[in-house]
Amino acid sequence: MYILGCIEILLIYIVPQAAIFKMEGLEGPEAEAAMLNNMRVYGTVVLTFMAIVVFVGVKYVNKLALVFLACVILSILAVYAGVIKTAIEPPDFPVCVLGNRTLVWKGFDVCAKVVERDNGTVTTQLWRLFCDSELLNATCDEYFTNNNISVIQGIPGVASGALWENLFGNYMEKGMYIEKVGRPSLPEAEPSAKPSSRYVLADMTSFFTLLVGIYFPSVTGIMAGSNRSGDLRDAQKSIPIGTILAITTTSIIYMSGVVLFGACIDGTVLRDKFGEAVRGNLVIGTLAWPSPWVIVFGSFFSTCGAGLQSLTGAPRLLQAIARDGIVPFLRVFGHGKANGEPTWALLLTACICESGILIASLDSVAPILSMFFLMCYMFVNLACALQTLLRTPNWRPRFKFYHWALSFLGMSLCLALMFISSWYYAIVAMAIASCIYKYIEFRGAEKEWGDGIRGLSLSAARFALMRLEEGPPHTKNWRPQILVLVSVDGELNVEQPRLLSLTNQMKAGKGLTIVGTSLKGTYLDNFAQGQQAEQSLRKLMETERVKGFSQVVISSNLRDATSHLLQAGGLGGMKHNTVLVSWPRNWKQAEDHSICQNFIELVRETTAASLALLVPKNIAAFPSNGERFTEGHIDVWWIVHDGGMLMLLPFLLRQHKVWRKCKMRIFTVAQMDDNSIQMKKDLTTFLYHLRIDAQVEVVEMQDSDITAYTYEKTLVMEQRSQILKQINLTKTEREREIQSITDSSRGSIRRKNPSSGVTAQLSVSEEQPGGSKEEKPEEESVAVSPPKQEQLIHDKSTNPPTPATPLSPSAESAITPGSEGQRTWTDPKCDGEAAKPVAGATPEGIKDLFSMKPEWENLNQSNVRRMHTAVRLNNVIVKKSQEAKLVLLNMPGPPKNRTGDENYMEFLEVLTEGLNRVLLVRGGGREVITIYS
């Protein structure tokens, strides 16, 4: 900008003959284009010369700066002297006006229509511009004929009262006549569509914001000292004093200059951009005393000096940024000469300056520069205000006379001026700044100088966490905040990476996600392993695009470590409400019984903490984030109303591109005496009000006999349970337990078959240990008749739905959450009817008695009934959902006493047998979905 101003002064006022593209005889756009081409050529030459001077050494620039400063001071003093002189003797500065329109003083010498010469009246050159001949009876322009010619003084003086005439704005549209206010004028009857070039016209549409954008760069030199802080002896002392003095000095000079110009110069001259009404003379030069050349040369050297200072400070600032590594791709510009001169930074700065010179138009360049200067000042003020408000301990400014409100006001004014000057330039500038900020944030700086936005984020996070503590979230704001429990192998790599894929598909980057794992050992000895495991978690989270936090807990045993994760994860109101853990693989073959026991204890702990639990089975078969299902179904087997988790999870999954094209089906189980039609109608209505699109199907469970397969599954389950129990006993206890089992088995066989021999007794005792001593006598019968309304975790006599889901299906198909909705395997309601007739009392029972194997006789009949129900339900699920992409099932709770933990795992295995992808869901005891939006 300074270079363009320098060239403009040179070609217009000092040596117009030096123009390469001649402007003589050209008017309008042609003359403007020639002028812009001249500025491009000479601007490039001047920029090259200045860059060479700066490259040679900053000491030469400092020496030249004193000369330039002296010229500027002399120019300012000359202007003030000229203003004082106008009060005594205003200069002769005529302006020719036709009616109230200002004429272009070109092509005529006398501002008059006719003159008296040789005792006669003759026409002037001005007459010939508006008439078709020199004669007095010639046909002339209508406006020329109807209005008089007058001459006004362009600089009437400070005592003329021109200040009141220029005090208020007079903005104009492009092509409008520049008119003298208060002069009489008779307009044409039919105004011409194209204004005549003989009048001074407004070359552009003017308004306040545009003028601010053009004027603002003139006050942008106040931070030149801070840009060269590296060259200052005591920057902490010099920068505050120098900046404040610069602001004070420039403010006084500019404000007084505006007022004095308005008081001394006529409004028509002030609005005449190119001085066409005053023969192209420099107005401020005419105003100055003693000579206009003082202003011409002062302005020329002032622009040259400002350009050199900018070309000196900008490369040093760029070099400092490059050396700090704040913007990685600028690192190459941190290199320079041996004495520290920024060679490469100077080259980049010169290239950027050349782009502005090629634009050439000062009016076009000025608003662009204003945007970036304003944005720079805005961020400086923002940083000061934020640091003060946040009370950062390391914010200790040496300048004490300061308040954050001043910085906030300055920031607000800068932002307002950006949009006032040019809203589209402001948006572009802020977009560029945002891209640079995000690039720095993404690539990271080598040297961390701190981030004020990070401090603001910490304060906002603290405020938000305190607000979350005020109460639990409303049901319509509920979303799964997931604690993902993963395990790591010997090399500290995650063993179940698909768990994070499933997390991403459920969360889509929303809400809280904590990925945690546990290590065995002591914290002091395993600290390094813990850090490595955390890095492994973060790397996998980045790969799977899971946004959240990682946490590693080290404890003496894995069970306690997992419990600590469950209890201590999250912060305040940002705690997890859902736990995602994979089904333990190969738990049957595991030599360590603790794997199975830890999983069951985790289920108990989530129930006690009122947390939802998600257990994906066969997690390796789940899709990755890159896969797509083009068709298929997500099947929900809704057996217990768990607060809506089973409804909400498929909806969340279908928001992800992996599951988007899968359709949702909901199955519910009914007994033979249930009203299946009404159940389907109620469930369809419920889903309609929930705004969930799904196909509803009611499956009727047929009564059937207990099959030999069920007995065999129960027998294998109890044998494994007994073996695992014996593994944990001491030698003496094991011998006592075996003797007890043998005695119990022999007594049972004698009661059932007194004629049996010893061989049979040994066979029973060896193949099948006795059943549990805690079971009731009626449960030790040989066989039971088919239960009339046997359920796995479904109860007919449950409470009605809660008010949170008023349109939920009837009590025959769903029950409310809480203690009523969380069935366990030891709940009597899960065992069918309490009293069962002995199978031997019926002909079918007698037939079964003779066909039964001896080892089935001591089976726990409660386990038989549960296994029977699990097998029946599994058959129905496999029949309906074997081809489904995902099956969601209610997950029952473990037994209240710990004697049947292994049985619990076996029941779940039987329940999900034959299914590829299963997600077991256990609600947290609260409503998570509502009909209200």
Side-chain angles (χ1 to χ4, degrees):
M1 184 186 72
Y2 296 122
I3 293 176
L4 291 176
C6 168
I7 302 303
E8 187 174 358
I9 295 172
L10 179 69
L11 295 180
I12 295 178
Y13 302 110
I14 299 179
V15 281
Q17 303 82 5
I20 298 176
F21 300 90
K22 301 300 181 181
M23 295 179 289
E24 296 178 1
L26 300 178
E27 294 183 356
E30 295 180 352
E32 183 179 359
M35 182 62 183
L36 293 179
N37 289 330
N38 286 321
M39 294 181 71
R40 291 185 181 102
V41 174
Y42 280 101
T44 303
V45 174
V46 172
L47 174 63
T48 304
F49 174 75
M50 288 184 175
I52 293 173
V53 173
V54 174
F55 176 77
V56 171
V58 69
K59 61 180 181 180
Y60 298 103
V61 177
N62 293 335
K63 291 178 180 180
L64 290 174
L66 296 176
V67 178
F68 297 149
L69 179 61
C71 295
V72 171
I73 294 176
L74 286 176
S75 300
I76 294 172
L77 293 177
V79 171
Y80 282 117
V83 170
I84 296 173
K85 184 177 178 293
T86 60
I88 304 170
E89 184 184 354
D92 185 22
F93 202 57
V95 176
C96 189
V97 178
L98 175 62
N100 64 352
R101 297 177 184 176
T102 307
L103 295 176
V104 176
W105 203 306
K106 184 180 181 181
F108 64 93
D109 53 353
V110 180
C111 182
K113 294 183 179 180
V114 294
V115 294
E116 298 293 333
R117 183 180 298 170
D118 299 332
N119 296 325
T121 301
V122 296
T123 58
T124 63
Q125 294 176 344
L126 182 62
W127 176 281
R128 299 182 191 115
L129 294 176
F130 288 92
C131 301
D132 56 2
S133 70
E134 300 179 357
L135 302 177
L136 292 175
N137 60 353
T139 303
C140 298
D141 180 81
E142 181 183 358
Y143 187 83
F144 181 79
T145 305
N146 296 338
N147 293 277
N148 297 323
I149 293 286
S150 60
V151 178
I152 62 173
Q153 284 298 323
I155 304 178
V158 71
S160 64
L163 177 64
W164 303 106
E165 180 182 329
N166 298 325
L167 188 61
F168 302 100
N170 186 13
Y171 305 111
M172 307 175 69
E173 298 287 337
K174 183 178 181 179
M176 290 180 62
Y177 299 107
I178 295 180
E179 300 175 342
K180 171 65 178 176
V181 178
R183 291 277 176 173
S185 175
L186 294 175
E188 305 96 328
E190 296 180 2
S192 59
K194 183 178 180 180
S196 173
S197 60
R198 294 183 290 265
Y199 301 105
V200 179
L201 305 175
D203 71 311
M204 60 186 299
T205 301
S206 61
F207 44 90
F208 176 75
T209 57
L210 174 69
L211 299 181
V212 169
I214 295 175
Y215 174 76
F216 184 80
S218 63
V219 298
T220 56
I222 58 177
M223 293 189 70
S226 60
N227 291 341
R228 296 178 60 186
S229 59
D231 299 327
L232 299 175
R233 182 178 304 170
D234 188 357
Q236 296 186 28
K237 179 180 179 181
S238 300
I239 289 178
I241 296 176
T243 304
I244 291 175
L245 289 178
I247 293 174
T248 305
T249 305
T250 54
S251 298
I252 293 173
I253 293 174
Y254 289 147
M255 293 176 68
S256 62
V258 170
V259 174
L260 292 177
F261 288 171
C264 296
I265 304 173
D266 190 80
T268 56
V269 178
L270 290 175
R271 285 182 284 275
D272 184 5
K273 178 179 176 181
F274 299 106
E276 295 174 311
V278 292
R279 299 185 178 93
N281 292 321
L282 186 62
V283 177
I284 191 173
T286 306
L287 177 65
W289 182 87
S291 172
W293 290 106
V294 176
I295 299 299
V296 172
F297 285 106
S299 300
F300 178 77
F301 287 119
S302 173
T303 53
C304 289
L308 277 174
Q309 293 295 330
S310 299
L311 207 58
T312 302
R316 281 165 169 73
L317 186 62
L318 179 61
Q319 184 186 45
I321 294 173
R323 286 180 173 177
D324 290 339
I326 296 175
V327 183
F329 73 84
L330 294 178
R331 192 177 293 110
V332 65
F333 298 103
H335 304 292
K337 294 193 295 184
N339 59 355
E341 291 296 322
T343 307
W344 292 102
L346 176 62
L347 181 62
L348 178 61
T349 305
C351 293
I352 296 174
C353 292
E354 180 64 21
S355 64
I357 290 174
L358 293 177
I359 297 176
S361 175
L362 198 60
D363 293 339
S364 301
V365 174
I368 299 175
L369 295 178
S370 297
M371 290 300 107
F372 291 99
F373 276 113
L374 282 168
M375 190 164 56
C376 174
Y377 299 155
M378 180 186 73
F379 284 127
V380 170
N381 283 287
L382 175 63
C384 292
L386 281 180
Q387 296 285 5
T388 307
L389 286 173
L390 297 175
R391 298 182 180 180
T392 306
N394 287 315
W395 172 248
R396 300 183 299 273
R398 189 174 297 278
F399 186 75
K400 303 298 181 183
F401 305 99
Y402 159 77
H403 193 268
W404 66 267
L406 291 175
S407 295
F408 188 78
L409 178 62
M411 182 201 69
S412 303
L413 290 175
C414 289
L415 184 62
L417 282 176
M418 287 178 66
F419 284 93
I420 287 174
S421 300
S422 177
W423 64 268
Y424 43 89
Y425 279 151
I427 293 176
V428 172
M430 296 185 73
I432 294 174
S434 300
C435 292
I436 294 175
Y437 177 81
K438 296 305 292 184
Y439 173 77
I440 295 173
E441 186 181 46
F442 174 73
R443 292 298 302 270
E446 290 183 356
K447 294 183 180 179
E448 180 58 55
W449 295 106
D451 185 1
I453 302 298
R454 184 176 179 86
L456 181 63
S457 300
L458 290 173
S459 296
R462 173 183 169 276
F463 176 78
L465 285 173
M466 298 302 294
R467 287 292 302 272
L468 290 175
E469 285 290 294
E470 295 178 2
H474 190 270
T475 301
K476 68 179 181 181
N477 298 324
W478 192 95
R479 67 171 65 248
Q481 316 284 13
I482 300 181
L483 170 63
V484 185
L485 297 178
V486 298
S487 58
V488 293
D489 55 20
E491 297 180 356
L492 301 179
N493 295 319
V494 178
E495 293 182 336
Q496 308 97 355
R498 289 297 171 87
L499 270 180
L500 296 187
S501 301
L502 180 61
T503 303
N504 175 268
Q505 293 159 23
M506 283 193 294
K507 300 287 291 181
K510 301 297 189 297
L512 174 70
T513 302
I514 303 174
V515 181
T517 188
S518 54
L519 298 178
K520 186 176 181 180
T522 60
Y523 183 74
L524 293 178
D525 296 336
N526 299 87
F527 176 78
Q529 289 84 343
Q531 294 294 314
Q532 184 180 348
E534 189 167 1
Q535 289 295 329
S536 178
L537 293 181
R538 290 177 181 173
K539 184 178 180 180
L540 183 60
M541 291 173 66
E542 183 178 350
T543 302
E544 297 293 342
R545 298 181 181 179
V546 174
K547 297 180 180 179
F549 310 97
S550 59
Q551 191 170 358
V552 178
V553 174
I554 304 173
S555 183
S556 57
N557 62 79
L558 296 180
R559 173 83 289 276
D560 290 343
T562 306
S563 181
H564 296 160
L565 269 176
L566 199 67
Q567 298 176 56
L571 177 64
M574 286 295 289
K575 289 184 69 69
H576 52 272
N577 54 28
T578 304
V579 177
L580 176 63
V581 62
S582 177
W583 177 263
R585 295 182 304 168
N586 303 326
W587 65 272
K588 296 181 180 180
Q589 290 79 22
E591 297 180 359
D592 189 1
H593 176 55
S594 62
I595 295 178
C596 171
Q597 192 62 36
N598 290 346
F599 175 78
I600 298 174
E601 289 299 316
L602 177 64
V603 178
R604 288 194 174 98
E605 288 178 354
T606 56
T607 303
S610 298
L611 300 176
L613 179 63
L614 308 178
V615 182
K617 194 168 180 288
N618 195 12
I619 186 63
F622 276 68
S624 65
N625 292 325
E627 298 181 38
R628 303 287 185 277
F629 288 134
T630 57
E631 59 181 359
H633 296 90
I634 299 177
D635 287 355
V636 177
W637 285 84
W638 195 35
I639 302 174
V640 172
H641 181 66
D642 57 352
M645 279 289 290
L646 283 172
M647 304 293 183
L648 185 62
L649 289 176
F651 171 79
L652 295 176
L653 286 173
R654 293 182 67 218
Q655 306 305 306
H656 197 272
K657 52 190 175 183
V658 174
W659 306 91
R660 186 166 296 153
K661 295 187 178 181
C662 292
K663 296 181 180 180
M664 182 176 171
R665 296 189 302 188
I666 296 182
F667 297 90
T668 186
V669 179
Q671 302 299 328
M672 293 301 296
D673 56 348
D674 289 333
N675 189 343
S676 301
I677 298 176
Q678 185 62 37
M679 288 175 63
K680 183 175 181 179
K681 181 179 179 181
D682 292 343
L683 186 54
T684 303
T685 305
F686 181 48
L687 293 175
Y688 172 79
H689 287 282
L690 288 177
R691 298 173 297 281
I692 292 179
D693 184 18
Q695 178 183 347
V696 178
E697 184 173 345
V698 178
V699 179
E700 294 183 350
M701 291 282 288
Q702 303 288 339
D703 292 337
S704 62
D705 295 337
I706 300 177
T707 63
Y709 174 75
T710 301
Y711 281 109
E712 289 293 342
K713 293 292 289 186
T714 309
L715 175 61
V716 173
M717 176 185 71
E718 292 195 355
Q719 285 178 340
R720 182 182 296 109
S721 176
Q722 198 68 17
I723 292 172
L724 291 174
K725 180 179 179 182
Q726 291 178 9
I727 289 175
N728 296 323
L729 297 177
T730 65
K731 181 178 180 181
T732 305
E733 292 173 335
R734 189 179 302 131
E735 293 175 352
R736 186 183 306 114
E737 182 70 15
I738 292 174
Q739 184 63 37
S740 174
I741 294 170
T742 304
D743 295 341
S744 176
S745 300
R746 290 172 177 172
S748 177
I749 293 176
R750 289 193 187 98
R751 289 193 301 271
K752 297 301 178 182
N753 192 1
S755 60
S756 299
V758 179
T759 306
Q761 296 173 11
L762 294 175
S763 174
V764 173
S765 63
E766 290 174 0
E767 293 183 16
Q768 169 59 40
S772 174
K773 299 179 182 180
E774 299 175 0
E775 301 297 335
K776 297 179 181 180
E778 62 268 23
E779 293 179 345
E780 296 183 0
S781 56
V782 176
V784 294
S785 62
K788 185 176 181 181
Q789 292 186 1
E790 198 161 20
Q791 306 179 48
L792 178 63
I793 45 177
H794 171 70
D795 187 16
K796 183 178 177 181
S797 60
T798 54
N799 295 331
T802 58
T805 54
L807 294 173
S808 60
S810 60
E812 288 82 6
S813 63
I815 62 176
T816 57
S819 60
E820 294 296 330
Q822 304 294 347
R823 296 298 181 208
T824 66
W825 292 107
T826 56
D827 195 328
K829 296 182 180 181
C830 297
D831 299 336
E833 297 181 2
K836 298 291 180 181
V838 178
T842 62
E844 293 80 1
I846 295 172
K847 182 179 180 181
D848 290 339
L849 179 62
F850 285 101
S851 63
M852 289 188 66
K853 296 181 181 180
E855 59 266 26
W856 293 353
E857 298 180 3
N858 292 329
L859 293 179
N860 186 324
Q861 296 307 313
S862 177
N863 289 340
V864 173
R865 289 196 298 275
R866 295 191 193 100
M867 184 64 72
H868 177 56
T869 306
V871 170
R872 291 170 58 205
L873 187 55
N874 173 258
N875 291 335
V876 174
I877 295 174
V878 170
K879 180 180 178 182
K880 295 288 185 179
S881 303
Q882 191 170 18
E883 301 300 326
K885 301 300 182 184
L886 179 63
V887 177
L888 285 83
L889 282 171
N890 285 115
M891 179 179 180
K896 295 179 179 178
N897 55 5
R898 287 172 168 77
T899 58
D901 286 352
E902 297 79 10
N903 300 346
Y904 170 72
M905 298 293 290
E906 188 66 43
F907 287 135
L908 291 181
E909 282 283 3
V910 172
L911 182 63
T912 57
E913 190 176 8
L915 300 175
N916 187 24
R917 301 184 191 93
V918 181
L919 183 61
L920 297 172
V921 180
R922 184 164 173 79
R926 63 158 294 170
E927 293 290 336
V928 300
I929 194 169
T930 177
I931 64 173
Y932 306 108
S933 59

